[in-house]
């Protein structure tokens, strides 16, 4: 086999270099996008106040650093990211930037991962997938947000890479690596249960397809292509899945029963198509048998060790091990009836479509290509994209950050779409197609820049739900500056009382404030502080007599836009067109906020007057 570096360049030009050093050129291209993606994720990273959920994650990470973290709580997802963020706090200090660095680096990792599938994807699909994960509006925004979804998406795609590499060439340590990643997935977010369901369904459908193919064509020994098979498994497996989700949602049926029936039916199809002995000889089973039993024992041991390590807070809380298996799925199943966010079932259709219209168009072309020329990776990405759309649309908690998990496999399908267009590039009719595509791509890059920098916390953007306002952050800076001044002139600290009803994001921003107390309407009779932050509905001013002389101002804490699609009928196209161009909303009444009252004492006002005079 001739090595790439042994082929003479025969002169220097980008085209010649790409043709004679394709692996190196592809590595340089992906590496360049990764560096550009890192820079874009770091630009203005500290400018935006911490989102509601970001502040909770940062606070738990700080608690772990301080030794007061109490362990896994399914309300706030798995603990692994708290440990990782705490490490950044320990090394680089506590800030908006360090609170978001785990998400940023996971986002950069997402850009690099397609490289490890390059031999199955080809250069065009690899580059396109990397570009989508680097620059698309949703991918860029959600990997600059200090939530767990960026890390979850990275771990999920890494598991897909391991699956493909294992089936291509079974090796002893790959199951152990998968076990490590699976444990990490559970220790970051409970959506890993969705991942297990999606891939379990995929391999059941793959087994059914291979059983049918085995009976009609006989055994094949072709490398990874033996898993390419036919394309009928996609509708045959996905349509019943969609029906199962639809029936469960419409009749309010227990989804685990519905999906259990789906799994049993899939297993029955396999047994109808092949005997147990034939199943044992199917390509996917033979690949699993390619690793000795000790390899699978090692994989199980690695999974259990790291699962226990993270959920027991490094073996200090033994109850966390069982909680990791039971509490997450129990809690979030119970939340299914809550419908947090109150978004409709088609939420991701318009959220992804309005920001990622280029990816959607190319992904449709790529999906058609996968049906016509099926490959294992193509079918895996198509299955994952559709099944993720089903799963997250069924789940009643629908938020913009979950769109990232649907977008990732769509990025690979978009790569197949670009490959189709590239192969037809010499045809005359492709000229207007390239012109239109270039225009749409330019507008997408503009949209990405606008939502990530110009409007990064503007409530009129669909990606910016429940963001903390600049008014609140200005209040925190105002209190901190006045506290430093008061202590510098010998008058002691500026005292702060915070209503427990607005503990978030105050837990983070006043985490180590020396003169901060917590209060509520039941215990506010004797509260006295220079600054009191309280919810208007708490009626703390009416209870605390000592606050009668405070000056009170109402400010927004978190703001949002609720489009109310079901109530909007007239001028639907023109309304969305104005929003796309200028982010003009069609109903100002749907812009809202959660407010807080800021009550300032005469002493604090006098201190501020002296600061201004000085």
């Amino acid at each position: 086999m001739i090595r790439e570096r042994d082929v003479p360049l025969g002169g220097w030009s980008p085209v010649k270099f790409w043709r004679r050093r394709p692996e190196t050129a592809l590595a340089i291209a992906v590496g360049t996008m990764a560096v550009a993606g890192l820079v874009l994720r770091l630009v203005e990273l500290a400018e935006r106040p911490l989102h509601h959920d970001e502040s909770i994650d940062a606070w738990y990470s700080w608690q772990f650093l301080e030794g007061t973290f109490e362990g896994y709580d399914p309300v706030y997802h798995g603990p692994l990211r708290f440990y990782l963020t705490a490490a950044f706090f320990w090394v680089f200090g506590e800030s908006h930037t360090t609170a978001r660095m785990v998400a940023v680096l996971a986002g950069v990792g997402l850009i690099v991962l397609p490289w490890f599938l390059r031999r199955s994807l080809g250069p065009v699909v690899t580059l396109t997938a990397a570009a989508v994960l680097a620059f698309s509006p949703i991918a860029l925004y959600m990997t600059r947000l200090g939530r767990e979804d960026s890390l979850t998406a990275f771990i999920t795609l890494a598991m897909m890479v391991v699956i493909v590499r294992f089936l291509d060439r079974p090796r002893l340590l790959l199951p152990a690596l998968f076990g490590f990643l699976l444990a990490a997935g559970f220790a970051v977010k409970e959506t890993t249960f969705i991942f297990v369901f999606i891939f379990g369904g995929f391999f059941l459908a793959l087994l059914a397809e291979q059983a049918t193919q085995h009976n009609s064509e006989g055994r094949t020994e072709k490398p990874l292509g033996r898993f390419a098979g036919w394309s009928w498994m996609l509708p045959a497996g996905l349509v019943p899945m969609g029906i199962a989700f639809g029936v469960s949602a419409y009749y309010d049926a227990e989804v685990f029963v519905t999906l259990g029936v789906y799994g049993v039916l899939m297993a029955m199809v396999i047994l109808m198509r092949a005997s147990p002995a034939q199943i044992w000889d199917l390509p996917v089973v033979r690949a699993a048998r390619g690793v000795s039993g000790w390899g699978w024992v090692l994989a199980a041991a690695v999974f259990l060790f790291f699962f226990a390590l993270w959920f027991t807070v490094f073996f200090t809380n033994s109850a966390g091990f069982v909680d990791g298996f039971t509490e997450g799925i129990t809690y979030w199943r119970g939340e299914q009836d809550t419908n947090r966010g109150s978004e409709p079932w088609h939420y991701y259709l318009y959220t992804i479509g309005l920001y990622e219209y280029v990816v959607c168009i190319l992904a449709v072309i790529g999906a058609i290509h996968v049906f016509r020329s099926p490959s294992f990776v193509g079918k895996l990405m198509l299955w994952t994209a559709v099944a993720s759309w089903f799963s997250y649309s069924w789940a009643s908690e629908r938020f913009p950050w979950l769109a990232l998990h649907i977008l990732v496999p769509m990025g690979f399908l978009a790569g197949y779409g670009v490959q189709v267009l590239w192969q037809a590039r010499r045809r005359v009719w492709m000229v207007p197609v390239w012109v239109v595509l270039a225009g749409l791509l330019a507008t997408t890059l503009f949209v990405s820049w606008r939502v990530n920098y110009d409007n990064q916390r503007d409530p009129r953007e669909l990606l910016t739900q429940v963001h903390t306002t600049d008014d609140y952050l200005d209040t925190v800076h105002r209190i901190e500056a006045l506290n430093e001044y008061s202590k510098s002139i010998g008058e002691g600290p500026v005292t702060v009382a915070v209503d427990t009803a607005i503990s978030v994001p105050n837990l983070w921003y006043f985490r180590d404030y020396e003169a901060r107390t917590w209060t509520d309407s039941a215990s506010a009779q004797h509260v006295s502080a220079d600054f009191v932050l309280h919810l208007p509905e708490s009626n703390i001013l009416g209870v605390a007599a000592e606050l009668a002389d405070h000056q009170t101002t109402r400010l927004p804490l978190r703001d949002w836009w609720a489009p109310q699609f079901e109530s909007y009928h007239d001028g639907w196209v023109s309304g969305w067109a104005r929003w796309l161009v200028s982010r003009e909303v069609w109903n100002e009444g749907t812009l809202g906020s959660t407010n807080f009252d800021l009550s300032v004492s005469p002493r604090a006002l006098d201190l501020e007057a002296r600061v201004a005079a000085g």
Side-chain angles (χ1 to χ4, degrees):
M1 182 177 178
I2 300 176
R3 294 176 297 181
E4 184 181 89
R5 62 175 177 268
D6 294 333
V7 179
L9 280 176
W12 166 254
S13 76
V15 175
K16 286 184 178 180
F17 185 79
W18 184 274
R19 288 175 177 172
R20 296 178 178 272
R21 300 282 195 277
E23 288 263 319
T24 305
L26 188 60
I28 292 172
V30 173
T32 301
M33 283 192 281
V35 172
L38 175 62
V39 171
L40 288 173
R41 283 155 178 77
L42 291 176
V43 170
E44 297 186 7
L45 187 64
E47 296 301 311
R48 187 177 69 246
L50 286 187
H51 174 280
H52 174 278
D53 295 1
E54 287 181 299
S55 69
I56 294 174
D57 287 9
W59 183 63
Y60 274 119
S61 302
W62 177 76
Q63 278 195 314
F64 177 72
L65 191 62
E66 294 292 306
T68 58
F69 178 61
E70 296 180 355
Y72 172 58
D73 184 343
V75 179
Y76 304 112
H77 306 297
L80 177 56
R81 71 194 189 283
F82 303 147
Y83 309 149
L84 297 174
T85 302
F88 279 98
F89 287 169
W90 182 62
V91 175
F92 301 105
E94 303 147 22
S95 67
H96 285 177
T97 298
T98 51
R100 292 168 172 146
M101 279 307 297
V102 171
V104 166
L105 295 180
V108 175
L110 275 173
I111 302 169
V112 175
L113 282 176
W115 159 259
F116 295 97
L117 296 175
R118 64 193 181 280
R119 290 171 187 168
S120 301
L121 298 172
V124 175
V125 182
T126 301
L127 287 174
T128 304
V132 169
L133 298 174
F135 309 120
S136 74
I138 291 176
L140 182 55
Y141 193 92
M142 297 309 163
T143 55
R144 286 165 48 86
L145 187 68
R147 282 181 48 88
E148 68 281 348
D149 293 279
S150 178
L151 183 56
T152 302
F154 170 78
I155 293 170
T156 301
L157 184 56
M159 284 192 280
M160 295 170 72
V161 170
V162 172
I163 288 171
V164 174
R165 298 291 289 264
F166 176 80
L167 291 177
D168 184 30
R169 184 182 171 191
R171 280 173 284 185
L172 178 66
L173 295 182
L174 286 177
L177 177 57
F178 184 84
F180 171 80
L181 291 170
L182 187 61
F186 280 116
V188 173
K189 194 169 188 177
E190 295 78 8
T191 51
T192 303
F193 286 105
I194 295 178
F195 164 83
V196 171
F197 162 73
I198 289 173
F199 285 90
F202 176 80
F203 281 104
L204 284 175
L206 185 63
L207 281 171
E209 179 192 73
Q210 289 183 350
T212 304
Q213 190 177 20
H214 183 279
N215 291 334
S216 62
E217 296 179 0
R219 179 170 168 166
T220 176
E221 296 295 338
K222 207 175 168 183
L224 194 60
R226 67 185 184 273
F227 300 105
W230 307 327
S231 57
W232 70 263
M233 65 165 283
L234 296 167
L238 288 170
V239 171
M241 183 190 296
I243 293 173
F245 277 121
V247 169
S248 173
Y250 186 80
Y251 291 103
D252 196 25
E254 173 55 57
V255 72
F256 292 118
V257 174
T258 307
L259 297 181
V261 172
Y262 166 78
V264 170
L265 290 174
M266 293 288 287
M268 289 176 61
V269 170
I270 297 171
L271 292 173
M272 289 170 59
R273 302 305 303 166
S275 65
Q278 289 174 321
I279 293 173
W280 188 249
D281 198 42
L282 294 178
V284 68
V285 178
R286 292 206 311 273
R289 289 162 44 206
V291 171
S292 68
W294 287 111
W296 294 105
V297 170
L298 176 63
V302 167
F303 170 79
L304 291 172
F305 174 80
F306 284 102
F307 190 94
L309 180 73
W310 293 322
F311 277 99
T312 63
V313 195
F314 298 90
F315 304 116
T316 62
N317 177 15
S318 59
F321 180 74
V322 176
D323 289 346
F325 285 107
T326 61
E327 291 299 312
I329 192 67
T330 302
Y331 175 80
W332 289 106
R333 176 62 192 93
E335 288 294 296
Q336 178 64 16
D337 297 330
T338 304
N339 190 12
R340 294 193 192 187
S342 303
E343 298 292 357
W345 66 268
H346 54 276
Y347 173 74
Y348 298 109
L349 287 174
Y350 61 77
T351 300
I352 295 176
L354 289 169
Y355 284 94
E356 305 289 356
Y357 39 85
V358 173
V359 172
C360 289
I361 294 170
L362 293 172
V364 169
I365 299 172
I368 295 172
H369 170 77
V370 170
F371 271 110
R372 297 180 63 182
S373 304
S375 64
F376 175 75
V377 179
K379 291 197 299 185
L380 177 63
M381 294 302 173
L382 180 54
W383 179 283
T384 305
V386 176
S388 296
W389 213 305
F390 286 160
S391 301
Y392 288 105
S393 295
W394 166 82
S396 65
E397 181 173 325
R398 305 178 187 99
F399 285 109
W401 40 84
L402 295 175
L404 177 64
H405 306 294
I406 303 172
L407 178 69
V408 170
M410 286 181 64
F412 288 85
L413 292 178
Y416 285 107
V418 172
Q419 181 174 273
V420 170
L421 298 179
W422 181 251
Q423 290 171 346
R425 64 189 181 278
R426 300 187 187 281
R427 300 184 181 181
V428 176
W429 55 266
M430 280 299 299
V431 174
V433 171
W434 288 121
V435 172
V436 171
L437 192 61
L440 291 175
L441 181 60
T443 60
T444 299
L445 293 175
F446 167 74
V447 167
S448 188
W449 181 267
R450 178 167 61 181
V451 70
N452 281 285
Y453 304 105
D454 290 345
N455 294 351
Q456 59 179 307
R457 63 147 311 279
D458 190 323
R460 296 172 299 173
E461 294 285 355
L462 295 176
L463 305 185
T464 62
Q465 283 193 0
V466 295
H467 259 301
T468 306
T469 63
D470 292 326
D471 294 289
Y472 169 80
L473 191 58
D474 291 342
T475 298
V476 173
H477 292 160
R478 173 187 177 187
I479 293 171
E480 291 174 339
L482 195 62
N483 182 54
E484 291 301 317
Y485 171 75
S486 180
K487 291 192 295 184
S488 70
I489 61 174
E491 295 193 13
V494 170
T495 56
V496 177
V498 181
D499 184 357
T500 56
I502 51 171
S503 58
V504 179
N506 290 296
L507 282 168
W508 165 253
Y509 281 106
F510 291 102
R511 62 193 177 280
D512 52 3
Y513 193 84
E514 57 188 323
R516 183 261 300 141
T517 58
W518 294 98
T519 188
D520 56 30
S521 56
S523 60
Q525 293 88 341
H526 305 293
V527 68
S528 177
D530 294 313
F531 288 88
V532 183
L533 289 74
H534 52 103
L535 204 64
E537 294 80 6
S538 296
N539 194 33
I540 287 178
L541 286 181
V543 175
E546 296 188 32
L547 302 183
D549 58 351
H550 281 47
Q551 184 182 99
T552 300
T553 305
R554 185 158 296 174
L555 297 168
L557 176 62
R558 289 182 289 272
D559 48 17
W560 63 80
W561 174 43
Q564 296 180 352
F565 301 98
E566 67 280 0
S567 64
Y568 184 70
H569 301 290
D570 299 329
W572 191 89
V573 174
S574 61
W576 273 119
R578 288 194 300 273
W579 179 85
L580 281 169
V581 173
S582 62
R583 291 303 188 254
E584 176 187 345
V585 302
W586 53 73
N587 184 352
E588 292 290 339
T590 60
L591 289 167
S593 63
T594 296
N595 300 319
F596 73 100
D597 283 347
L598 177 66
S599 299
V600 186
S601 70
R603 173 180 178 262
L605 293 172
D606 176 65
L607 284 170
E608 290 186 319
R610 280 187 272 168
V611 170

